[in-house]
C-alpha cells in the first residue's frame, strides 16, 4: 500500500511524512535531524561534499587560538560562505565549568552564534563528560541567554537536571567520543526520551548507519556525528548513508514496531485453509 | 611594545586592539578577542587601548564535533 499519488508529484507518503516532521530547538525550527561535526575530514572539498550529502542544517565547531604564524591556515568558515547553516560551537578543551563559560562567551563574541554545546571532559582517556561541571556551566550560560545544548552521560537523572536548568536540548553520548562503539546503553537512552520534555540528541560514539537507525528508533530527536563520517573511507557516501539511516529509524519510530514474540506465527492466515 | 598574544610574546606598535588585529592580518575575519581576561566585542576593538604586557587572546572556529 505505497501508492499514494495525490499531492506533490514525485513524493512518496514516507517522504511527505519526513518533510512535515519538523522539530524545534529553542526558537529555531529544523527539518534535518543530523548535526554534523566539522573535524577530521581529509580536506575541505570532501568536507563540503559530505555536508551537502548529509542534508545537515546544524554544523558543530570547536574554538581554538588563531595560529598567528599561519593566518592563511584559515578556518573552515571560509568554505561555508554563501550557505546558511546554524553554527553549534562546542566548549571542547574545557575541564571545568568556568573554562567552558569562558569559551562560550568568546564564541558568542565572534558574532556567529549564541548556540553552545557544553562539553566538559576531565579525563583524557575517556573524554566522558563531567556531569557536575556540565550542570554548573549550563545554569550560568542559560542565565546569560545562550541556547545551551549540553553533551552529557546517558543518565536520565542528570539529563532531567539539565532540562530543569534550562537546556534547550540534552545530548547524551552513545559511547565515548570517537570510539564508534555504537549505543552502549539503549535502555537508558530510551528512558531519557520517555522523560524528557526537550529534544534528545544522541551525541558521540556512533559508528555506522545501523547504530544511527537504532538510536532514532528509540525516539531521539536527532543525532550528532563527526568521526563516523569523517573517518570512513568515503565520507561523502557515508554522510548520505547516515542521512538515510536517520530517516529509516525515524519512520520506524513513528510507525511503531510490532511486538516481539517468543515463537513463530505464520503470516499466511488460518490453518483451516491449508492444503491437506 | 611587547604584548602577550595567544601565549607568546610579540613586539607590535599598536594603540588599540583593532590595530593589533590589523597588524596580524586578521581584519574582517571571524575572530573573537579577549584582553586581560575581558572579552572585547569587535565593535569595541578601536576603543580598547593596549598597554605593554597586555595578555591578548584571539580565537576562531575550527573543525570539531
Amino acid at each position: 500500500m505505497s501508492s499514494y499519488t495525490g499531492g506533490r508529484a514525485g513524493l512518496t507518503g514516507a517522504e511527505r511524512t519526513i518533510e512535515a516532521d519538523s522539530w524545534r530547538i529553542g526558537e529555531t525550527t529544523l527539518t534535518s535531524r543530523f548535526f554534523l561535526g566539522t573535524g577530521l575530514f581529509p580536506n575541505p572539498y570532501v568536507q563540503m561534499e559530505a555536508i551537502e550529502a548529509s542534508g545537515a542544517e546544524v554544523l558543530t565547531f570547536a574554538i581554538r587560538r588563531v595560529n598567528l604564524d599561519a593566518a592563511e591556515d584559515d578556518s573552515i568558515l571560509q568554505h561555508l560562505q554563501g550557505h546558511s547553516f546554524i553554527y553549534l560551537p562546542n566548549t571542547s578543551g574545557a575541564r571545568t565549568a568556568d573554562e567552558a563559560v569562558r569559551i562560550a562567551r568568546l564564541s558568542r563574541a565572534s558574532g556567529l552564534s549564541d548556540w553552545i554545546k557544553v562539553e566538559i571532559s576531565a579525563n583524557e582517556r575517556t573524554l566522558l563528560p563531567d556531569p557536575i561541571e556540565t550542570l554548573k556551566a549550563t545554569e550560568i550560560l542559560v542565565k546569560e541567554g545562550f541556547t545551551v545544548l549540553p553533551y552529557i552521560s546517558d543518565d536520565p537523572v542528570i539529563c532531567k537536571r539539565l532540562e530543569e536548568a534550562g537546556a534547550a536540548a540534552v545530548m547524551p553520548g552513545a559511547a565515548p567520543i570517537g570510539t564508534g562503539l555504537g549505543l552502549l546503553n539503549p535502555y537508558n537512552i530510551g528512558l531519557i526520551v520517555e522523560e524528557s520534555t526537550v529534544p534528545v540528541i544522541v551525541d558521540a560514539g556512533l559508528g555506522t548507519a545501523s547504530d544511527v537507525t537504532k538510536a532514532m528508533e528509540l525516539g531521539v530527536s536527532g543525532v550528532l556525528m563527526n568521526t563516523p563520517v569523517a573517518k570512513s573511507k568515503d565520507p561523502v557516501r557515508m554522510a548520505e548513508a547516515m542521512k538515510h539511516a536517520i530517516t529509516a529509524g525515524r519512520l520506524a519510530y513513528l510507525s511503531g514496531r510490532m511486538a516481539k514474540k517468543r515463537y513463530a506465527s505464520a503470516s499466511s492466515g488460518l490453518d483451516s485453509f491449508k492444503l491437506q | 611594545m611587547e604584548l602577550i598574544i595567544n601565549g607568546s610574546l610579540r613586539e607590535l606598535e599598536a594603540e588599540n586592539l583593532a590595530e593589533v588585529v590589523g597588524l596580524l592580518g586578521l581584519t574582517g575575519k571571524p575572530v573573537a578577542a579577549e584582553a586581560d581576561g575581558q572579552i572585547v566585542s569587535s565593535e569595541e576593538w578601536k576603543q580598547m587601548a593596549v598597554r605593554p604586557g597586555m595578555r591578548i587572546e584571539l580565537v576562531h572556529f575550527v573543525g570539531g564535533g
Side-chain angles (χ1 to χ4, degrees):
Chain A
M1 285 299 295
S2 61
S3 57
Y4 309 100
T5 49
R8 297 189 35 204
L11 289 186
T12 64
E15 282 164 348
R16 276 203 301 278
T17 304
I18 286 299
E19 207 172 65
D21 184 32
S22 63
W23 59 300
R24 291 174 78 80
I25 299 261
E27 301 299 306
T28 306
T29 300
L30 299 168
T31 321
S32 168
R33 293 173 181 274
F34 195 167
F35 287 17
L36 184 60
T38 56
L40 305 173
F41 281 88
N43 61 59
Y45 174 76
V46 169
Q47 175 164 6
M48 284 311 297
E49 293 279 298
I51 290 170
E52 178 120 348
S54 73
E57 296 165 301
V58 176
L59 302 178
T60 67
F61 294 88
I63 308 291
R64 291 290 181 273
R65 281 174 164 168
V66 176
N67 180 356
L68 299 172
D69 299 319
E72 294 314 306
D73 151 42
D74 212 343
S75 65
I76 12 170
L77 290 175
Q78 68 173 26
H79 302 286
L80 297 173
Q81 278 167 4
H83 299 75
S84 60
F85 292 105
I86 296 162
Y87 295 142
L88 176 57
N90 65 43
T91 65
S92 65
R95 298 166 60 88
T96 64
D98 286 345
E99 288 173 11
V101 167
R102 180 187 179 207
I103 294 170
R105 288 172 181 161
L106 271 167
S107 164
R108 186 159 69 176
S110 73
L112 294 171
S113 183
D114 62 2
W115 286 30
I116 192 76
K117 167 178 160 177
V118 172
E119 176 178 346
I120 305 174
S121 304
N123 183 321
E124 290 293 324
R125 199 161 68 89
T126 66
L127 292 178
L128 286 170
D130 181 322
I132 294 165
E133 296 298 311
T134 302
L135 180 59
K136 274 190 214 162
T138 299
E139 285 168 346
I140 295 168
L141 293 170
V142 166
K143 285 194 187 110
E144 294 186 11
F146 285 85
T147 297
V148 184
L149 296 87
Y151 162 60
I152 192 63
S153 339
D154 58 1
D155 170 11
V157 179
I158 188 69
C159 284
K160 186 48 84 176
R161 292 289 299 269
L162 288 165
E163 177 189 318
E164 288 164 0
V170 292
M171 304 206 296
I177 294 170
T179 58
L181 291 171
L183 275 180
L184 294 183
N185 196 339
Y187 175 79
N188 270 23
I189 298 287
L191 277 184
I192 293 166
V193 170
E194 275 176 36
E195 293 181 7
S196 186
T197 60
V198 294
V200 177
I201 298 160
V202 168
D203 176 5
L206 299 168
T208 187
S210 53
D211 298 335
V212 172
T213 301
K214 279 180 194 150
M216 294 303 300
E217 283 172 349
L218 293 171
V220 304
S221 296
V223 292
L224 193 166
M225 285 182 282
N226 188 346
T227 317
V229 175
K231 289 304 215 182
S232 67
K233 289 205 175 69
D234 185 342
V236 180
R237 197 181 294 188
M238 186 57 94
E240 189 175 352
M242 296 303 198
K243 181 175 80 173
H244 293 308
I246 290 169
T247 302
R250 180 68 186 166
L251 285 172
Y253 170 71
L254 293 174
S255 307
R257 61 154 297 150
M258 62 164 280
K260 289 184 182 176
K261 291 177 199 153
R262 185 162 169 78
Y263 299 109
S265 60
S267 48
S268 305
L270 297 171
D271 277 354
S272 55
F273 292 104
K274 270 186 188 162
L275 282 174
Q276 299 293 326
Chain B
M1 76 180 88
E2 287 191 335
L3 299 167
I4 302 158
I5 306 178
N6 287 359
S8 316
L9 205 59
R10 290 215 165 219
E11 181 70 36
L12 286 180
E13 289 316 312
E15 309 236 312
N16 58 54
L17 194 52
E19 287 180 23
V20 172
V21 170
L23 287 169
L24 294 169
L26 298 171
T27 302
K29 301 210 166 151
V31 168
E34 202 184 67
D36 283 340
Q38 205 69 30
I39 286 163
V40 190
S41 74
S42 56
E43 302 89 65
E44 298 166 338
W45 287 354
K46 267 198 186 119
Q47 285 81 60
M48 186 74 198
V50 291
R51 293 182 302 275
M54 190 176 246
R55 304 187 73 90
I56 296 170
E57 292 287 338
L58 297 169
V59 302
H60 65 163
F61 283 28
V62 301

